[in-house]
Amino acid sequence: MSTTSNALQQARAISAGMKIPGRKMAFEFRPDDIPRHWNDNDAFKSTFMNALSCLFPEGERMFMDAVREHMHLIDDEVLAEQVRGFIKQEAIHGNEHALYNACLKKWHYPIDKINRFEKNEKRWMKKWIPASHRLAVTCALEHFTAIMANQVLTNPDATAGMHPQFKELWRWHAIEETEHKAVAYDVYQQAVGRYWLRVLTMINVTFFFCLRTSIYQTIFLWKDGQLFNPKTWWQGIRFYFIRPALVRRIMRQYLDYFRRDFHPWMHDNRELVQHWLTEEQSFKTL
Ligand SMILES: [Fe+2]
Ligand SMILES: [Fe+2]
């Protein structure tokens, strides 16, 4: 047996052992107490995270639908149970990010317009894009989320200057994205399994994910009067390439997705979940 297939078998075994509990959190966001540039007093970093947050409520719903629509093809009871946990977690993420986004609305960002666009687009996708392709989109975005979550949890520069009210939410979301990072992927492999669809979708998703995040962020920076400030652009270069160096640090894991024998648990970071669980007890398991 080759080393590669050993790695894949190991990853699958880790995946099968993952428990995915839904957790009810008790976040409270008080926009009056949170500075607008809540992430390290840095306009670029704050608006980047805000742009991501705007993708979640509708995005998570699309993920849940795509996975649900393939459930009839899954006869593995362990995976079926993980899917139920995945749906619980994503539903709660969507709700918590909607509350976060309500803070952004209070800061006079055009959140209603963004939400309307997101909703219409997902409706359009459900009508016109086959379920198998939407599941491939889900896998690609779950991979993005998982590798960024890993940065939130392991790179102190990524979270050091965050306001505690938002930091808690991002850390919790990162933990659950880590826990369930392989669920949509395992469903895809069992129910669809097409390699080329998976990787071509990743290329497509990378383009549109970066484009959309940039557009939302540009709107926020414009609203803040920071769009044409050279300092903002320096903050951006620093953020992507120097510290926390997001692009540089996720690149290798991102590229692993293109391997034929890829599995999300080849990046084994279960210890992060364990560590968070020993620190954090202020939730109710559902
Ligand atoms: Fe999520
Ligand atoms: Fe997720």
Side-chain angles (χ1 to χ4, degrees):
M1 191 180 292
S2 73
T3 322
T4 310
S5 66
N6 276 340
L8 181 57
Q9 281 198 343
Q10 252 176 28
R12 284 182 180 152
I14 295 173
S15 195
M18 289 306 293
K19 300 269 175 282
I20 322 265
R23 299 183 186 92
K24 184 85 198 99
M25 304 302 287
F27 297 121
E28 257 187 68
F29 306 120
R30 296 180 298 279
D32 295 340
D33 301 345
I34 308 172
R36 199 176 178 88
H37 295 154
W38 57 271
N39 192 355
D40 210 13
N41 196 28
D42 180 314
F44 193 93
K45 280 192 203 172
S46 307
T47 52
F48 176 80
M49 299 305 276
N50 294 346
L52 287 183
S53 181
C54 289
L55 307 179
F56 286 124
E58 290 302 324
E60 311 273 34
R61 257 190 281 281
M62 197 270 281
F63 298 173
M64 291 187 275
D65 284 348
V67 170
R68 235 186 243 123
E69 284 173 62
H70 289 85
M71 277 309 284
H72 64 287
L73 299 169
I74 302 299
D75 50 16
D76 168 348
E77 193 34 51
V78 173
L79 182 55
E81 183 57 33
Q82 289 177 334
V83 167
R84 287 189 277 276
F86 170 86
I87 289 173
K88 273 188 210 163
Q89 289 193 341
E90 297 293 37
I92 300 170
H93 298 172
N95 292 342
E96 293 295 341
H97 276 276
L99 295 175
Y100 173 125
N101 297 347
C103 285
L104 303 182
K105 192 175 160 184
K106 286 205 170 160
W107 293 339
H108 303 292
Y109 292 129
I111 300 302
D112 287 340
K113 278 191 188 150
I114 289 176
N115 284 344
R116 236 182 344 264
F117 173 77
E118 288 286 323
K119 202 169 269 186
N120 287 337
E121 188 218 21
K122 300 300 176 302
R123 204 175 290 148
W124 182 90
M125 281 179 76
K126 194 162 182 177
K127 189 165 175 195
W128 296 106
I129 311 267
S132 55
H133 290 230
R134 281 184 280 115
L135 185 58
V137 170
T138 302
C139 294
L141 285 168
E142 283 287 281
H143 183 57
F144 255 114
T145 319
I147 58 181
M148 291 206 283
N150 192 55
Q151 286 303 304
V152 167
L153 298 168
T154 59
N155 184 347
D157 291 329
T159 54
M162 285 185 176
H163 189 279
Q165 284 184 34
F166 281 172
K167 183 174 177 172
E168 270 183 62
L169 168 109
W170 284 109
R171 279 178 50 78
W172 156 76
H173 196 166
I175 285 293
E176 295 197 346
E177 288 304 323
T178 304
E179 283 178 319
H180 74 227
K181 66 179 170 179
V183 175
Y185 189 88
D186 287 341
V187 171
Y188 180 86
Q189 293 296 26
Q190 286 196 23
V192 183
R194 285 154 60 192
Y195 170 73
W196 285 105
L197 175 63
R198 172 168 78 76
V199 297
L200 291 175
T201 303
M202 178 50 115
I203 294 169
N204 187 7
V205 160
T206 302
F207 176 74
F208 283 106
F209 172 75
C210 295
L211 178 71
R212 177 176 316 212
T213 313
S214 307
I215 291 174
Y216 293 166
Q217 188 176 13
T218 302
I219 295 169
F220 298 157
L221 287 169
W222 169 264
K223 281 272 173 196
D224 289 355
Q226 296 297 322
L227 187 58
F228 300 109
N229 183 349
K231 188 178 159 203
T232 307
W233 295 102
W234 167 241
Q235 287 172 337
I237 292 168
R238 216 174 116 85
F239 175 68
Y240 285 131
F241 302 104
I242 304 170
R243 188 184 282 186
L246 185 71
V247 171
R248 200 157 52 76
R249 286 180 191 265
I250 65 173
M251 190 50 79
R252 199 160 157 190
Q253 294 192 337
Y254 167 77
L255 291 174
D256 283 344
Y257 192 82
F258 293 87
R259 289 168 55 162
R260 243 177 217 282
D261 66 345
F262 170 75
H263 188 281
W265 280 111
M266 283 175 172
H267 307 144
D268 182 4
N269 54 358
R270 282 169 296 172
E271 79 286 354
L272 299 173
V273 178
Q274 219 35 58
H275 179 71
W276 183 83
L277 285 171
T278 54
E279 274 188 344
E280 181 67 58
Q281 261 109 43
S282 58
F283 57 80
K284 213 168 94 194
T285 305
L286 300 174

